[in-house]
Tab-separated table of all heavy atoms in Angstrom:
chain	number	residue	atom	x	y	z
A	24	LYS	N	-15.639	-11.838	-7.952
A	24	LYS	CA	-16.353	-10.532	-8.473
A	24	LYS	C	-17.416	-10.107	-7.755
A	24	LYS	O	-17.717	-8.990	-7.371
A	24	LYS	CB	-16.905	-11.020	-9.906
A	24	LYS	CG	-17.615	-9.887	-10.616
A	24	LYS	CD	-18.343	-10.333	-11.919
A	24	LYS	CE	-17.313	-10.943	-12.931
A	24	LYS	NZ	-17.937	-11.246	-14.144
A	25	ILE	N	-18.166	-11.185	-7.047
A	25	ILE	CA	-19.303	-10.811	-6.223
A	25	ILE	C	-18.682	-10.036	-4.954
A	25	ILE	O	-19.284	-9.128	-4.471
A	25	ILE	CB	-19.980	-12.008	-5.690
A	25	ILE	CG1	-20.815	-12.680	-7.002
A	25	ILE	CG2	-21.054	-11.678	-4.660
A	25	ILE	CD1	-21.762	-11.644	-7.601
A	26	ALA	N	-17.604	-10.641	-4.396
A	26	ALA	CA	-17.040	-10.035	-3.239
A	26	ALA	C	-16.647	-8.578	-3.543
A	26	ALA	O	-16.832	-7.749	-2.708
A	26	ALA	CB	-15.837	-10.898	-2.657
A	27	ARG	N	-16.050	-8.330	-4.757
A	27	ARG	CA	-15.576	-6.945	-5.065
A	27	ARG	C	-16.783	-6.052	-5.242
A	27	ARG	O	-16.660	-4.897	-4.900
A	27	ARG	CB	-14.793	-7.078	-6.363
A	27	ARG	CG	-14.204	-5.771	-6.913
A	27	ARG	CD	-13.157	-5.173	-6.044
A	27	ARG	NE	-12.817	-3.857	-6.412
A	27	ARG	CZ	-13.156	-2.745	-5.782
A	27	ARG	NH1	-13.903	-2.811	-4.750
A	27	ARG	NH2	-12.796	-1.583	-6.236
A	28	LYS	N	-17.919	-6.601	-5.801
A	28	LYS	CA	-18.964	-5.752	-5.975
A	28	LYS	C	-19.650	-5.276	-4.634
A	28	LYS	O	-20.080	-4.181	-4.502
A	28	LYS	CB	-20.161	-6.470	-6.768
A	28	LYS	CG	-19.717	-6.801	-8.258
A	28	LYS	CD	-19.760	-5.570	-9.071
A	28	LYS	CE	-19.532	-5.866	-10.489
A	28	LYS	NZ	-19.477	-4.520	-11.312
A	29	MET	N	-19.624	-6.288	-3.610
A	29	MET	CA	-20.079	-5.883	-2.275
A	29	MET	C	-19.176	-4.827	-1.752
A	29	MET	O	-19.675	-3.878	-1.105
A	29	MET	CB	-20.063	-7.203	-1.457
A	29	MET	CG	-21.151	-8.222	-2.019
A	29	MET	SD	-21.071	-9.742	-1.011
A	29	MET	CE	-21.477	-9.258	0.605
A	30	GLN	N	-17.911	-4.910	-1.876
A	30	GLN	CA	-17.007	-3.976	-1.379
A	30	GLN	C	-17.120	-2.543	-2.037
A	30	GLN	O	-17.087	-1.456	-1.332
A	30	GLN	CB	-15.521	-4.306	-1.519
A	30	GLN	CG	-15.082	-5.568	-0.848
A	30	GLN	CD	-13.663	-6.012	-1.240
A	30	GLN	OE1	-13.133	-5.537	-2.211
A	30	GLN	NE2	-13.224	-6.950	-0.414
A	31	ALA	N	-17.449	-2.565	-3.308
A	31	ALA	CA	-17.699	-1.397	-4.063
A	31	ALA	C	-18.987	-0.743	-3.789
A	31	ALA	O	-19.135	0.462	-4.177
A	31	ALA	CB	-17.598	-1.743	-5.753
A	32	SER	N	-19.971	-1.361	-3.142
A	32	SER	CA	-21.218	-0.797	-2.932
A	32	SER	C	-21.104	0.513	-1.978
A	32	SER	O	-21.967	1.372	-2.059
A	32	SER	CB	-22.165	-1.804	-2.168
A	32	SER	OG	-21.631	-2.195	-0.956
A	33	LYS	N	-20.059	0.547	-1.329
A	33	LYS	CA	-19.761	1.761	-0.403
A	33	LYS	C	-19.451	2.841	-1.203
A	33	LYS	O	-19.598	4.059	-0.728
A	33	LYS	CB	-18.866	1.569	0.678
A	33	LYS	CG	-17.418	1.214	0.202
A	33	LYS	CD	-16.533	0.984	1.367
A	33	LYS	CE	-15.114	0.577	0.764
A	33	LYS	NZ	-14.167	0.225	1.884
A	34	GLU	N	-19.091	2.691	-2.312
A	34	GLU	CA	-18.670	3.911	-3.334
A	34	GLU	C	-19.999	4.615	-3.712
A	34	GLU	O	-19.964	5.903	-3.915
A	34	GLU	CB	-18.067	3.407	-4.580
A	34	GLU	CG	-16.762	2.730	-4.303
A	34	GLU	CD	-16.021	2.030	-5.461
A	34	GLU	OE1	-16.592	2.078	-6.585
A	34	GLU	OE2	-15.019	1.340	-5.286
A	35	VAL	N	-21.184	4.008	-3.583
A	35	VAL	CA	-22.477	4.600	-3.900
A	35	VAL	C	-22.792	5.700	-2.820
A	35	VAL	O	-23.072	6.831	-3.041
A	35	VAL	CB	-23.629	3.630	-3.911
A	35	VAL	CG1	-24.919	4.317	-4.001
A	35	VAL	CG2	-23.374	2.637	-4.995
A	36	TRP	N	-22.334	5.428	-1.594
A	36	TRP	CA	-22.435	6.359	-0.420
A	36	TRP	C	-21.685	7.576	-0.817
A	36	TRP	O	-21.965	8.645	-0.590
A	36	TRP	CB	-21.823	5.567	0.865
A	36	TRP	CG	-21.944	6.522	2.105
A	36	TRP	CD1	-20.935	7.355	2.394
A	36	TRP	CD2	-22.989	6.595	2.969
A	36	TRP	NE1	-21.299	8.023	3.591
A	36	TRP	CE2	-22.506	7.588	3.975
A	36	TRP	CE3	-24.134	6.021	3.192
A	36	TRP	CZ2	-23.316	7.897	5.088
A	36	TRP	CZ3	-24.894	6.339	4.147
A	36	TRP	CH2	-24.473	7.273	5.209
A	37	GLY	N	-20.349	7.400	-1.326
A	37	GLY	CA	-19.409	8.480	-1.725
A	37	GLY	C	-20.053	9.264	-2.739
A	37	GLY	O	-19.856	10.452	-2.838
A	38	LYS	N	-20.738	8.651	-3.655
A	38	LYS	CA	-21.322	9.325	-4.898
A	38	LYS	C	-22.459	10.220	-4.389
A	38	LYS	O	-22.590	11.545	-4.806
A	38	LYS	CB	-21.884	8.258	-5.854
A	38	LYS	CG	-22.685	8.947	-6.937
A	38	LYS	CD	-21.931	9.822	-7.808
A	38	LYS	CE	-22.876	10.414	-9.034
A	38	LYS	NZ	-22.022	11.305	-9.780
A	39	ILE	N	-23.266	9.686	-3.375
A	39	ILE	CA	-24.482	10.437	-2.860
A	39	ILE	C	-23.958	11.687	-2.144
A	39	ILE	O	-24.651	12.794	-2.334
A	39	ILE	CB	-25.263	9.519	-1.977
A	39	ILE	CG1	-25.898	8.346	-2.901
A	39	ILE	CG2	-26.383	10.305	-1.318
A	39	ILE	CD1	-26.617	7.341	-2.032
A	40	PHE	N	-23.012	11.491	-1.496
A	40	PHE	CA	-22.523	12.647	-0.601
A	40	PHE	C	-21.373	13.532	-1.136
A	40	PHE	O	-20.831	14.358	-0.608
A	40	PHE	CB	-22.072	12.202	0.804
A	40	PHE	CG	-23.335	11.648	1.602
A	40	PHE	CD1	-23.649	10.396	1.643
A	40	PHE	CD2	-24.062	12.616	2.313
A	40	PHE	CE1	-24.682	9.897	2.344
A	40	PHE	CE2	-25.182	12.111	3.117
A	40	PHE	CZ	-25.507	10.781	3.194
A	41	GLY	N	-21.030	13.235	-2.463
A	41	GLY	CA	-20.039	13.969	-3.171
A	41	GLY	C	-18.746	14.049	-2.567
A	41	GLY	O	-18.114	14.995	-2.543
A	42	THR	N	-18.216	12.843	-2.262
A	42	THR	CA	-16.927	12.683	-1.597
A	42	THR	C	-15.729	13.219	-2.387
A	42	THR	O	-14.853	13.938	-2.021
A	42	THR	CB	-16.681	11.372	-1.157
A	42	THR	OG1	-17.589	10.707	-0.242
A	42	THR	CG2	-15.258	11.181	-0.432
A	43	ILE	N	-15.771	12.897	-3.740
A	43	ILE	CA	-14.846	13.437	-4.734
A	43	ILE	C	-15.490	13.968	-6.011
A	43	ILE	O	-15.064	13.768	-7.081
A	43	ILE	CB	-13.960	12.190	-5.051
A	43	ILE	CG1	-14.713	10.922	-5.674
A	43	ILE	CG2	-13.071	11.746	-3.869
A	43	ILE	CD1	-13.812	9.952	-6.273
A	44	ASN	N	-16.515	14.727	-5.760
A	44	ASN	CA	-17.272	15.227	-6.925
A	44	ASN	C	-16.681	16.445	-7.620
A	44	ASN	O	-17.122	17.066	-8.601
A	44	ASN	CB	-18.703	15.547	-6.555
A	44	ASN	CG	-18.674	16.665	-5.467
A	44	ASN	OD1	-17.704	16.972	-4.874
A	44	ASN	ND2	-19.996	17.137	-5.132
A	45	THR	N	-15.465	16.832	-7.136
A	45	THR	CA	-14.707	17.946	-7.709
A	45	THR	C	-13.332	17.521	-7.966
A	45	THR	O	-12.726	16.660	-7.247
A	45	THR	CB	-14.668	19.275	-7.009
A	45	THR	OG1	-13.946	19.104	-5.714
A	45	THR	CG2	-16.151	19.654	-6.668
A	46	ARG	N	-12.606	18.075	-8.877
A	46	ARG	CA	-11.142	17.780	-9.078
A	46	ARG	C	-10.330	17.979	-7.916
A	46	ARG	O	-9.401	17.094	-7.614
A	46	ARG	CB	-10.562	18.679	-10.236
A	46	ARG	CG	-9.248	18.428	-10.597
A	46	ARG	CD	-8.933	17.099	-11.213
A	46	ARG	NE	-7.439	16.861	-11.643
A	46	ARG	CZ	-7.075	15.691	-12.035
A	46	ARG	NH1	-7.875	14.651	-12.155
A	46	ARG	NH2	-5.810	15.538	-12.357
A	47	GLU	N	-10.617	19.059	-7.137
A	47	GLU	CA	-9.738	19.342	-5.990
A	47	GLU	C	-9.982	18.215	-4.935
A	47	GLU	O	-9.076	17.771	-4.321
A	47	GLU	CB	-10.241	20.596	-5.400
A	47	GLU	CG	-9.405	20.969	-4.145
A	47	GLU	CD	-9.821	22.437	-3.593
A	47	GLU	OE1	-10.789	22.971	-4.027
A	47	GLU	OE2	-9.123	22.882	-2.695
A	48	LYS	N	-11.237	17.787	-4.715
A	48	LYS	CA	-11.609	16.763	-3.696
A	48	LYS	C	-10.924	15.452	-4.215
A	48	LYS	O	-10.427	14.701	-3.344
A	48	LYS	CB	-13.127	16.538	-3.671
A	48	LYS	CG	-13.797	17.682	-2.843
A	48	LYS	CD	-15.369	17.338	-2.717
A	48	LYS	CE	-16.048	18.439	-2.154
A	48	LYS	NZ	-17.525	18.087	-2.071
A	49	PHE	N	-10.959	15.150	-5.433
A	49	PHE	CA	-10.383	13.970	-6.010
A	49	PHE	C	-8.850	13.958	-5.773
A	49	PHE	O	-8.231	12.892	-5.214
A	49	PHE	CB	-10.642	13.811	-7.470
A	49	PHE	CG	-9.792	12.667	-8.156
A	49	PHE	CD1	-10.218	11.339	-8.025
A	49	PHE	CD2	-8.748	12.853	-8.985
A	49	PHE	CE1	-9.478	10.360	-8.486
A	49	PHE	CE2	-8.002	11.940	-9.481
A	49	PHE	CZ	-8.421	10.525	-9.297
A	50	LEU	N	-8.238	14.960	-5.978
A	50	LEU	CA	-6.696	15.064	-5.821
A	50	LEU	C	-6.392	14.969	-4.317
A	50	LEU	O	-5.379	14.396	-3.886
A	50	LEU	CB	-6.167	16.385	-6.357
A	50	LEU	CG	-6.252	16.469	-7.868
A	50	LEU	CD1	-5.693	17.798	-8.413
A	50	LEU	CD2	-5.427	15.262	-8.599
A	51	ASN	N	-7.293	15.523	-3.502
A	51	ASN	CA	-6.999	15.534	-1.948
A	51	ASN	C	-7.074	14.008	-1.413
A	51	ASN	O	-6.440	13.739	-0.426
A	51	ASN	CB	-7.933	16.393	-1.195
A	51	ASN	CG	-7.584	17.841	-1.388
A	51	ASN	OD1	-6.541	18.302	-1.722
A	51	ASN	ND2	-8.715	18.674	-1.222
A	52	HIS	N	-7.981	13.189	-2.033
A	52	HIS	CA	-8.271	11.817	-1.713
A	52	HIS	C	-7.410	10.927	-2.612
A	52	HIS	O	-7.467	9.644	-2.290
A	52	HIS	CB	-9.703	11.463	-1.838
A	52	HIS	CG	-10.608	12.114	-0.660
A	52	HIS	ND1	-11.057	13.342	-0.797
A	52	HIS	CD2	-11.044	11.590	0.464
A	52	HIS	CE1	-11.713	13.551	0.363
A	52	HIS	NE2	-11.746	12.518	1.094
A	53	ARG	N	-6.637	11.308	-3.495
A	53	ARG	CA	-6.024	10.465	-4.353
A	53	ARG	C	-5.063	9.445	-3.740
A	53	ARG	O	-5.037	8.217	-4.086
A	53	ARG	CB	-5.276	11.226	-5.452
A	53	ARG	CG	-4.453	10.284	-6.455
A	53	ARG	CD	-4.270	10.988	-7.757
A	53	ARG	NE	-4.303	10.064	-8.779
A	53	ARG	CZ	-4.504	10.450	-10.068
A	53	ARG	NH1	-4.795	11.669	-10.424
A	53	ARG	NH2	-4.641	9.519	-11.024
A	54	LEU	N	-4.250	9.780	-2.923
A	54	LEU	CA	-3.361	8.832	-2.259
A	54	LEU	C	-3.985	7.732	-1.395
A	54	LEU	O	-3.678	6.648	-1.548
A	54	LEU	CB	-2.355	9.658	-1.334
A	54	LEU	CG	-1.347	8.782	-0.649
A	54	LEU	CD1	-0.515	7.988	-1.624
A	54	LEU	CD2	-0.457	9.716	0.379
A	55	GLU	N	-5.105	8.238	-0.689
A	55	GLU	CA	-5.874	7.218	-0.029
A	55	GLU	C	-6.537	6.236	-0.966
A	55	GLU	O	-6.491	5.084	-0.653
A	55	GLU	CB	-7.099	8.012	0.818
A	55	GLU	CG	-7.815	7.140	1.577
A	55	GLU	CD	-9.051	7.872	2.101
A	55	GLU	OE1	-9.088	9.058	2.001
A	55	GLU	OE2	-9.938	7.188	2.831
A	56	LEU	N	-7.157	6.782	-2.022
A	56	LEU	CA	-7.781	5.818	-2.965
A	56	LEU	C	-6.790	4.910	-3.573
A	56	LEU	O	-7.011	3.641	-3.735
A	56	LEU	CB	-8.463	6.680	-4.050
A	56	LEU	CG	-9.644	7.557	-3.652
A	56	LEU	CD1	-10.088	8.535	-4.709
A	56	LEU	CD2	-10.705	6.664	-3.126
A	57	ALA	N	-5.653	5.410	-3.904
A	57	ALA	CA	-4.552	4.621	-4.535
A	57	ALA	C	-4.021	3.471	-3.694
A	57	ALA	O	-3.838	2.394	-3.942
A	57	ALA	CB	-3.377	5.454	-4.939
A	58	LYS	N	-3.869	3.871	-2.361
A	58	LYS	CA	-3.393	2.884	-1.351
A	58	LYS	C	-4.455	1.794	-1.103
A	58	LYS	O	-4.097	0.571	-0.994
A	58	LYS	CB	-3.250	3.521	-0.014
A	58	LYS	CG	-1.886	4.381	0.107
A	58	LYS	CD	-1.721	5.005	1.454
A	58	LYS	CE	-0.401	5.728	1.786
A	58	LYS	NZ	-0.267	6.321	3.036
A	59	HIS	N	-5.733	2.044	-1.235
A	59	HIS	CA	-6.776	0.958	-1.157
A	59	HIS	C	-6.637	-0.081	-2.263
A	59	HIS	O	-6.661	-1.167	-2.165
A	59	HIS	CB	-8.078	1.582	-1.283
A	59	HIS	CG	-8.636	2.280	0.049
A	59	HIS	ND1	-8.384	1.764	1.339
A	59	HIS	CD2	-9.295	3.431	0.319
A	59	HIS	CE1	-8.848	2.569	2.278
A	59	HIS	NE2	-9.337	3.614	1.591
A	60	GLU	N	-6.331	0.602	-3.568
A	60	GLU	CA	-6.305	-0.350	-4.717
A	60	GLU	C	-4.961	-1.081	-4.756
A	60	GLU	O	-4.872	-2.236	-5.075
A	60	GLU	CB	-6.443	0.470	-5.972
A	60	GLU	CG	-6.709	-0.349	-7.184
A	60	GLU	CD	-7.929	-1.110	-7.198
A	60	GLU	OE1	-8.784	-0.931	-6.208
A	60	GLU	OE2	-8.245	-1.965	-8.113
A	61	TRP	N	-3.782	-0.431	-4.235
A	61	TRP	CA	-2.662	-1.095	-4.140
A	61	TRP	C	-2.776	-2.243	-3.248
A	61	TRP	O	-2.188	-3.293	-3.399
A	61	TRP	CB	-1.500	-0.167	-3.800
A	61	TRP	CG	-1.222	0.892	-4.761
A	61	TRP	CD1	-1.524	0.896	-6.134
A	61	TRP	CD2	-0.663	2.127	-4.359
A	61	TRP	NE1	-1.024	2.030	-6.738
A	61	TRP	CE2	-0.502	2.964	-5.662
A	61	TRP	CE3	-0.026	2.713	-3.358
A	61	TRP	CZ2	-0.009	4.109	-5.731
A	61	TRP	CZ3	0.465	4.034	-3.384
A	61	TRP	CH2	0.557	4.778	-4.649
A	62	GLY	N	-3.284	-2.057	-2.099
A	62	GLY	CA	-3.475	-3.036	-0.971
A	62	GLY	C	-4.284	-4.239	-1.438
A	62	GLY	O	-3.969	-5.309	-1.201
A	63	ARG	N	-5.375	-3.899	-2.214
A	63	ARG	CA	-6.226	-4.950	-2.805
A	63	ARG	C	-5.425	-5.930	-3.794
A	63	ARG	O	-5.426	-7.117	-3.673
A	63	ARG	CB	-7.393	-4.360	-3.482
A	63	ARG	CG	-8.493	-5.390	-4.016
A	63	ARG	CD	-9.512	-4.732	-4.730
A	63	ARG	NE	-9.133	-4.129	-6.021
A	63	ARG	CZ	-9.084	-4.914	-7.078
A	63	ARG	NH1	-9.370	-6.238	-7.012
A	63	ARG	NH2	-8.717	-4.455	-8.269
A	64	LEU	N	-4.678	-5.252	-4.600
A	64	LEU	CA	-3.923	-5.897	-5.611
A	64	LEU	C	-2.751	-6.732	-4.920
A	64	LEU	O	-2.375	-7.820	-5.340
A	64	LEU	CB	-3.423	-4.996	-6.706
A	64	LEU	CG	-4.326	-4.598	-7.706
A	64	LEU	CD1	-3.824	-3.407	-8.546
A	64	LEU	CD2	-4.823	-5.680	-8.584
A	65	LYS	N	-2.181	-6.169	-3.942
A	65	LYS	CA	-1.105	-6.805	-3.238
A	65	LYS	C	-1.767	-8.153	-2.534
A	65	LYS	O	-1.073	-9.069	-2.490
A	65	LYS	CB	-0.607	-5.887	-2.078
A	65	LYS	CG	0.553	-6.437	-1.250
A	65	LYS	CD	1.825	-6.741	-1.969
A	65	LYS	CE	2.857	-7.141	-0.994
A	65	LYS	NZ	4.227	-7.353	-1.743
A	66	ALA	N	-2.840	-7.941	-1.937
A	66	ALA	CA	-3.510	-8.992	-1.154
A	66	ALA	C	-3.822	-10.263	-2.124
A	66	ALA	O	-3.843	-11.429	-1.662
A	66	ALA	CB	-4.824	-8.575	-0.457
A	67	ASN	N	-4.329	-9.866	-3.417
A	67	ASN	CA	-4.690	-11.111	-4.246
A	67	ASN	C	-3.605	-11.378	-5.332
A	67	ASN	O	-3.945	-12.088	-6.245
A	67	ASN	CB	-5.918	-10.734	-4.958
A	67	ASN	CG	-5.858	-9.571	-6.022
A	67	ASN	OD1	-4.785	-9.144	-6.447
A	67	ASN	ND2	-7.043	-9.085	-6.468
A	68	ASP	N	-2.434	-10.995	-5.064
A	68	ASP	CA	-1.206	-11.271	-5.790
A	68	ASP	C	-1.367	-10.811	-7.220
A	68	ASP	O	-1.146	-11.459	-8.216
A	68	ASP	CB	-0.921	-12.845	-5.779
A	68	ASP	CG	0.335	-13.237	-6.442
A	68	ASP	OD1	1.296	-12.326	-6.394
A	68	ASP	OD2	0.577	-14.344	-6.853
A	69	SER	N	-1.773	-9.529	-7.339
A	69	SER	CA	-2.020	-8.940	-8.637
A	69	SER	C	-2.933	-9.713	-9.606
A	69	SER	O	-2.622	-9.942	-10.866
A	69	SER	CB	-0.746	-8.545	-9.197
A	69	SER	OG	0.108	-7.682	-8.431
């Protein structure tokens, strides 16, 4: 959990700079975001 929290701290950066603050931006980044989560679950055997 601590390791995941440390990884997620970079999401604060995305929040500050509005990386996905609109629906259009979110959809444009959706595949990239999904791949990150799929990769994480693959690595820890779901």
Side-chain angles (χ1 to χ4, degrees):
K24 182 188 296 185
I25 293 298
R27 179 71 185 102
K28 291 293 184 181
M29 293 176 65
Q30 292 173 352
S32 62
K33 62 184 179 182
E34 295 170 10
V35 177
W36 179 274
K38 172 64 176 178
I39 293 173
F40 290 94
T42 305
I43 56 171
N44 62 351
T45 67
R46 178 67 177 174
E47 183 179 7
K48 288 181 181 180
F49 171 74
L50 293 177
N51 288 338
H52 286 83
R53 177 157 216 157
L54 180 58
E55 177 188 357
L56 296 170
K58 283 183 175 180
H59 285 320
E60 195 62 6
W61 295 339
R63 185 183 71 82
L64 287 167
K65 177 73 171 178
N67 69 13
D68 193 20
S69 304

